[in-house]
Amino acid sequence: MLTIKDLFDLDHTIAKDYLAQFTYPWEALAGIKDFILSVGPTLEDYDEVSPQVWVHKTATVAPTAFLGGPCIIGPETEVRHCAFIRGSALVGAGCVVGNSVELKNVILFDGVQTPHYNYVGDSILGYKSHMGAGSITSNVKSDKLPVVVRCGDERIDTGRKKVGAMLGDFVEVGCNSVLNPGSVIGRHSIIYPTSCVRGVLAENSIHKNDGTVLSRK
């Protein structure tokens, strides 16, 4: 349940071939910037609105939003008032990057919504996943040691000090939830509002805000 194949339908991102090189999604984090720089100049129907910032002609970007390069903003995507894209952000088609949302070193698959006051850093959000208002990905441990992904008794050292969350396709994250460093959320799972999530949540699960986990099946 931890691999890219387990979590994502790669047909819903222009990073398909890039991601297919890796087994685990966090392995792709180191190369997001270089991937954007390599593919950006080749894109059709995009305008390079500032150096290394490519925005599709059908995307809508509020004049108060900040787009830091390198980044790609896909077709029909809406970047709203005061969004802050710090760079190394690949935002797919039909996405919402909302009011006061901050993105850094991320891949957002098509249809992802981060609409209100979200921080998403060093993370990958799968097709049509949704972050409720105020929910964030925490990407650095308090002890600043490399992030370890924990799945039952299995421990995988990512070798990175900054790893946020890996959200599978169709994941719903409730308002004001915190996804701790190295969280992996399986496809079609739901996280209740105000939850504090650690480790791995299997696909088709419900994570309640008291930590209880139920199956949706």
Side-chain angles (χ1 to χ4, degrees):
M1 71 181 83
L2 297 176
T3 69
I4 287 172
K5 290 182 179 179
D6 293 330
L7 294 166
F8 309 119
D9 180 350
L10 296 183
D11 288 334
H12 293 291
T13 175
I14 63 172
K16 176 179 180 177
D17 292 339
Y18 172 69
L19 291 171
Q21 303 174 77
F22 305 103
T23 300
Y24 299 114
W26 52 85
E27 295 172 332
L29 296 176
I32 292 174
K33 177 179 180 179
D34 289 340
F35 173 75
I36 293 171
L37 290 173
S38 67
V39 74
T42 72
L43 294 172
E44 298 181 359
D45 297 320
Y46 284 73
D47 294 321
E48 189 174 3
V49 298
S50 60
Q52 301 176 349
V53 175
W54 294 274
V55 177
H56 195 273
K57 295 180 184 298
T58 62
T60 302
V61 179
T64 53
F66 176 83
L67 306 183
C71 76
I72 294 171
I73 307 297
E76 305 294 339
T77 283
E78 182 180 1
V79 182
R80 294 176 178 167
H81 173 68
C82 287
F84 178 30
I85 297 180
R86 286 170 53 190
S88 301
L90 172 57
V91 182
C95 294
V96 175
V97 181
N99 174 32
S100 302
V101 169
E102 181 177 347
L103 303 180
K104 190 272 292 185
N105 199 46
V106 295
I107 295 175
L108 272 55
F109 277 57
D110 300 340
V112 169
Q113 294 190 346
T114 57
H116 313 284
Y117 305 102
N118 308 110
Y119 172 70
V120 185
D122 300 286
S123 299
I124 300 176
L125 276 53
Y127 179 57
K128 288 194 174 181
S129 58
H130 171 255
M131 301 279 289
S135 60
I136 66 168
T137 65
S138 175
N139 61 339
V140 181
K141 294 170 60 180
S142 57
D143 59 12
K144 306 301 188 291
L145 293 176
V147 175
V148 174
V149 176
R150 293 176 170 82
C151 182
D153 294 332
E154 184 179 10
R155 292 167 52 91
I156 303 175
D157 189 345
T158 67
R160 293 180 56 86
K161 289 185 178 180
K162 292 187 177 182
V163 178
M166 309 294 141
L167 270 57
D169 299 336
F170 301 103
V171 165
E172 291 282 341
V173 179
C175 297
N176 290 325
S177 292
V178 176
L179 307 180
N180 282 278
S183 295
V184 180
I185 313 300
R187 300 185 197 209
H188 298 281
S189 288
I190 295 173
I191 296 170
Y192 272 27
T194 70
S195 294
C196 182
V197 180
R198 296 182 184 276
V200 177
L201 185 65
E203 65 178 34
N204 291 299
S205 294
I206 299 172
H207 184 288
K208 294 190 173 185
N209 55 8
D210 63 359
T212 302
V213 176
L214 305 175
S215 174
R216 295 186 68 186
K217 295 182 178 179

